[in-house]
Amino acid sequence: MGSVRIENREMRGIGASPGIAIASVRITDRSRVAVVEQPISSAEVATEKDRFIAALALARQELQGLKQQIAEKHGPEHLFVIDSHLMILDDAMLSSETEQLIETELINAEGALKRTLLQFKAFFEEMEDEYLRERSSDVETVVERVLRHLVGHSHEPITWVEGKVIIVAHDLTPSDILQIDKEKVVGFVTDLGGKTSHSAILARALEIPAVVGLERATAEIVAGDNLIIDGATGVVTINPDRNTFRDALRRKQRYEYLDRELAKLKDLPAVATDGHRILLKGNAEFLEEIPSIKRHGGEGIGLYRTEMLFFNRTEPPGEEEQYAAYAAMVREVAPHPVTIRTLDVGGDKFVADLNLNDELNPALGVRAIRLSLRSPDIFKTQLRAILRASALGTVRVFFPMISGVTEVRQAKSLLEEAKQELRERGVPFDETINVGIMIEIPSAVLIADLLAREVDFFSIGTNDLIQYSLAIDRTNEHLSHLYEPLHPAVLRSLKMVVDAAHAAGIDACMCGEMAGEPTFLPILLGLGFDELSMNAISIPRVKKILRRCSRAETESLVSASMNFPTAAEVEEYLQREITARFSDSFD
Ligand code: PEP
Ligand code: MG
């Protein structure tokens, strides 16, 4: 027979974890379990339920065994992923729904479980938020594990071949990725997955180049093919020709050289040439992101988004559960500080039960602090958990989407109530915990001087500030060309906020995406920011530029930039100045 070998074909997926890998392919069978739905008699209902319960127990045992293995290999920091799978497995809805279907529809356990999965998937697929949609694949992974036990195949453990390979799979579970030996597996590609799937987050945390969401990778690529994957751009080349191979090799060497150079910066201070210091921190949502933030020289967490604890469940997490998560984060990041943001859901971030349904204008609706102030019990539960974690290290707390002074006062008064409740229970916390606000609404910019009297720090959320200032939906891809961080209105806003903060003697921080873009650093330094918080891999890139600039010269850059009427002109001016002054720092 013999199939035709694909030569030098490009496929495009989603770059999930940067880096270039070149190796031959190893296919890992993670194909779906074939499920046959069969009718049963009412006499068989009890047996089918028992089979289902037994399969759940086996899957739980398997995950617990895996947890042990992973703890031995990686230590405790990645166990969160397995825990979240255990939580899905123990979800009351998953089992009650399946058992009910067995009983009412008179179908076998695997058929009922598959139907429950489809209901869960339909529910998640309705969601606009990419992160939430991705949670459906976590549920699917867990259900597959149970199905395998029902149909009698246990989950095939990954056993690696000799030599270096790139894994090609329909999907990989987070636990598959945690078992990867980086000496042998230099990268992976999958049909499924998105940028915020757990597997992608783990690949970034472990620094394994990966491309996901290729859809047809397992259909097109066969064992023994040679592959180039670019985890930044999402491009995969199958059986590259000589020129493509050479070019990829050069890019790989260049990438690794830059990475080594940037790694050398890890322990060097984040200071400008004239000694001006900016704290460079990481943004985090998961504990497993912390090692990468540390490896990249982050000096703490400038934005800990707590939403993830509230997603994918029917009841909000209680004080103990939240405390456990915050405490783990604080311990892991110590001695550096963790800045914990209170719940920011609503708008494009949806949580069942908490949100109002069908708001006409969710981005302008009951979002973030507005939701917290409407549900003081949920808010105070979170505040008590944060306060308790403040006894374990340096913690700051801040509130999202503040539009005026009244909201800050209301939030602070609930914080005081939470403190009093802890005092009455005799529970320790940091009495002098710093309190801040996100500046991400134009009204907050205009009254930054009034707000600065109420809090200990500001953190500018440019993702929303740009959205609300320019009236551009941040999730609308048709408007992305208008989403301009260098728009004169944005630059003026940044200046007003930093100046108001400093006039009141408080810190001006930034934690939106703009903070992690190296080419913006001269502007942010010139404006006088005290702290920038960003994704892990941006930290050394931003630090490299910072160490080449002086505060004085960037101040003049800012003054000149403020005179241009359009973002395009500001950008052109900046590019020119940057190329002339620090051309070698920007590659
Ligand atoms: C922002 O708006 O810039 C921000 C950091 O918050 P989020 O992206 O979570 O809305
Ligand atoms: Mg925001």
Side-chain angles (χ1 to χ4, degrees):
M1 270 191 17
S3 56
V4 183
R5 185 180 143 105
I6 293 174
E7 296 292 343
N8 207 38
R9 159 104 66 88
E10 260 188 17
M11 291 181 82
R12 273 170 199 274
I14 299 162
S17 175
I20 291 164
I22 306 173
S24 65
V25 166
R26 147 89 201 240
I27 305 277
T28 295
D29 180 17
R30 282 288 181 267
S31 54
R32 295 276 148 74
V33 186
V35 170
V36 185
E37 183 179 302
Q38 272 173 348
I40 56 167
S41 67
S42 27
E44 289 169 311
V45 167
T47 327
E48 285 305 298
K49 282 190 185 176
D50 287 348
R51 277 185 65 232
F52 171 59
I53 291 164
L56 277 181
L58 283 172
R60 189 174 302 114
Q61 233 175 46
E62 207 172 57
L63 279 172
Q64 266 150 359
L66 208 56
K67 191 169 160 180
Q68 175 103 25
Q69 264 178 34
I70 290 167
E72 281 159 20
K73 184 158 180 241
H74 292 280
E77 72 215 19
H78 296 299
L79 297 182
F80 169 84
V81 173
I82 305 294
D83 283 334
S84 73
H85 281 191
L86 280 165
M87 258 168 62
I88 296 172
L89 199 64
D90 289 333
D91 190 302
M93 272 201 6
L94 188 73
S95 45
S96 63
E97 199 63 36
T98 308
E99 290 185 35
Q100 202 181 341
L101 283 169
I102 296 176
E103 197 170 321
T104 53
E105 301 294 313
L106 291 175
I107 49 173
N108 60 350
E110 42 273 64
L113 180 56
K114 188 84 191 191
R115 284 207 205 174
T116 309
L117 172 66
L118 293 178
Q119 284 175 19
F120 269 70
K121 278 183 73 171
F123 172 73
F124 281 110
E125 268 152 24
E126 291 279 289
M127 301 193 166
E128 287 201 1
D129 184 75
E130 186 198 348
Y131 179 85
L132 285 182
R133 277 200 311 273
E134 286 299 339
R135 300 288 67 76
S136 110
S137 74
D138 284 340
V139 178
E140 198 160 0
T141 304
V142 173
V143 168
E144 287 272 317
R145 194 176 279 281
V146 183
L147 283 173
R148 278 176 197 275
H149 287 292
L150 278 172
V151 301
H153 314 287
S154 64
H155 197 74
E156 171 214 3
I158 293 180
T159 44
W160 310 112
V161 290
E162 285 305 306
K164 291 192 189 301
V165 294
I166 291 172
I167 296 289
V168 177
H170 182 60
D171 197 9
L172 287 178
T173 64
S175 45
D176 286 332
I177 292 163
L178 287 169
Q179 292 175 63
I180 283 178
D181 175 352
K182 279 174 68 176
E183 286 301 304
K184 293 181 179 163
V185 178
V186 293
F188 69 84
V189 307
T190 57
D191 293 338
L192 301 185
K195 230 187 172 80
T196 52
S197 59
H198 260 142
S199 303
I201 292 168
L202 267 184
R204 286 196 289 280
L206 301 174
E207 295 171 26
I208 303 169
V211 177
V212 300
L214 275 156
E215 290 176 9
R216 294 187 46 77
T218 49
E220 309 260 333
I221 302 169
V222 296
D225 276 345
N226 292 316
L227 225 55
I228 300 172
I229 71 172
D230 185 332
T233 60
V235 174
V236 170
T237 316
I238 310 167
N239 296 324
D241 61 22
R242 192 186 279 261
N243 285 341
T244 314
F245 176 77
R246 273 212 206 111
D247 177 58
L249 202 57
R250 256 199 307 274
R251 283 189 297 125
K252 177 173 153 61
Q253 282 161 353
R254 174 102 190 119
Y255 181 89
E256 288 169 355
Y257 165 77
L258 274 177
D259 222 46
R260 278 196 303 276
E261 288 301 298
L262 289 169
K264 290 185 195 156
L265 290 169
K266 176 178 169 285
D267 297 317
L268 294 177
V271 285
T273 52
D274 49 2
H276 185 86
R277 190 160 156 64
I278 298 188
L279 281 171
L280 301 184
K281 298 185 179 175
N283 291 351
E285 279 149 298
F286 304 100
L287 202 55
E288 63 254 43
E289 292 171 300
I290 305 307
S292 174
I293 290 173
K294 285 186 184 166
R295 247 190 332 270
H296 287 90
E299 299 169 273
I301 303 301
L303 167 62
Y304 172 17
R305 291 182 168 103
T306 57
E307 293 75 83
M308 304 311 159
L309 286 167
F310 291 72
F311 287 150
N312 197 11
R313 57 195 302 155
T314 45
E315 293 284 318
E319 183 182 319
E320 290 310 316
E321 188 184 337
Q322 291 189 60
Y323 169 67
Y326 306 151
M329 188 64 96
V330 172
R331 288 200 181 98
E332 185 75 20
V333 177
H336 295 300
V338 179
T339 313
I340 307 181
R341 183 173 74 182
T342 62
L343 186 60
D344 181 5
V345 291
D348 63 328
K349 306 170 188 161
F350 182 84
V351 170
D353 281 7
L354 284 180
N355 286 107
L356 300 181
N357 290 327
D358 297 332
E359 287 186 292
L360 205 55
N361 235 327
L364 306 180
V366 184
R367 222 198 114 169
I369 194 68
R370 302 167 184 184
L371 193 68
S372 295
L373 294 177
R374 272 174 62 106
S375 320
D377 287 343
I378 295 176
F379 189 41
K380 277 202 292 175
T381 303
Q382 178 170 41
L383 292 173
R384 285 193 304 272
I386 295 173
L387 284 167
R388 285 172 57 188
S390 74
L392 307 170
T394 313
V395 171
R396 306 192 297 179
V397 61
F398 68 141
F399 310 122
M401 294 285 296
I402 291 292
S403 68
V405 170
T406 310
E407 282 161 340
V408 183
R409 291 187 179 157
Q410 285 170 345
K412 280 175 64 185
S413 128
L414 288 165
L415 180 66
E416 282 311 310
E417 283 181 28
K419 285 184 177 176
Q420 189 51 30
E421 286 160 12
L422 290 180
R423 282 186 204 111
E424 281 162 17
R425 278 163 46 188
V427 176
F429 64 89
D430 175 6
E431 289 277 354
T432 59
I433 187 170
N434 272 5
V435 179
I437 54 172
M438 295 278 293
I439 302 281
E440 47 188 350
I441 297 183
S443 62
V445 172
L446 294 170
I447 59 161
D449 57 330
L450 305 177
L451 289 165
R453 297 179 198 152
E454 310 282 329
V455 291
D456 302 307
F457 66 97
F458 284 161
S459 190
I460 301 187
T462 49
N463 308 342
D464 277 312
L465 183 61
I466 297 170
Q467 144 161 292
Y468 293 122
S469 300
L470 307 181
I472 285 158
D473 177 351
R474 64 192 258 188
T475 63
N476 186 335
E477 67 273 21
H478 303 297
L479 293 175
S480 54
H481 63 290
L482 293 175
Y483 193 88
E484 295 174 320
L486 296 177
H487 191 294
V490 177
L491 293 183
R492 287 183 192 190
S493 296
L494 300 184
K495 181 159 173 42
M496 276 179 74
V497 175
V498 177
D499 291 350
H502 290 167
I506 66 168
D507 278 353
C509 317
M510 177 183 281
C511 61
E513 293 302 310
M514 188 173 181
E517 174 51 60
T519 49
F520 297 153
L521 185 275
I523 290 280
L524 304 184
L525 171 64
L527 283 167
F529 276 93
D530 302 290
E531 172 184 316
L532 301 173
S533 191
M534 61 201 79
N535 61 49
I537 59 170
S538 297
I539 297 171
R541 289 168 169 80
V542 168
K543 192 196 276 188
K544 185 173 179 206
I545 311 300
L546 173 62
R547 292 177 53 83
R548 307 288 304 251
C549 300
S550 80
R551 177 77 201 278
E553 76 186 321
T554 54
E555 266 168 357
S556 66
L557 207 73
V558 167
S559 315
S561 301
M562 289 287 177
N563 291 328
F564 292 104
T566 66
E569 285 158 279
V570 179
E571 193 171 344
E572 198 184 307
Y573 166 73
L574 273 183
Q575 283 304 343
R576 229 181 17 249
E577 291 297 309
I578 283 168
T579 321
R581 294 181 201 205
F582 343 87
S583 59
D584 62 328
S585 310
F586 280 77
D587 45 14

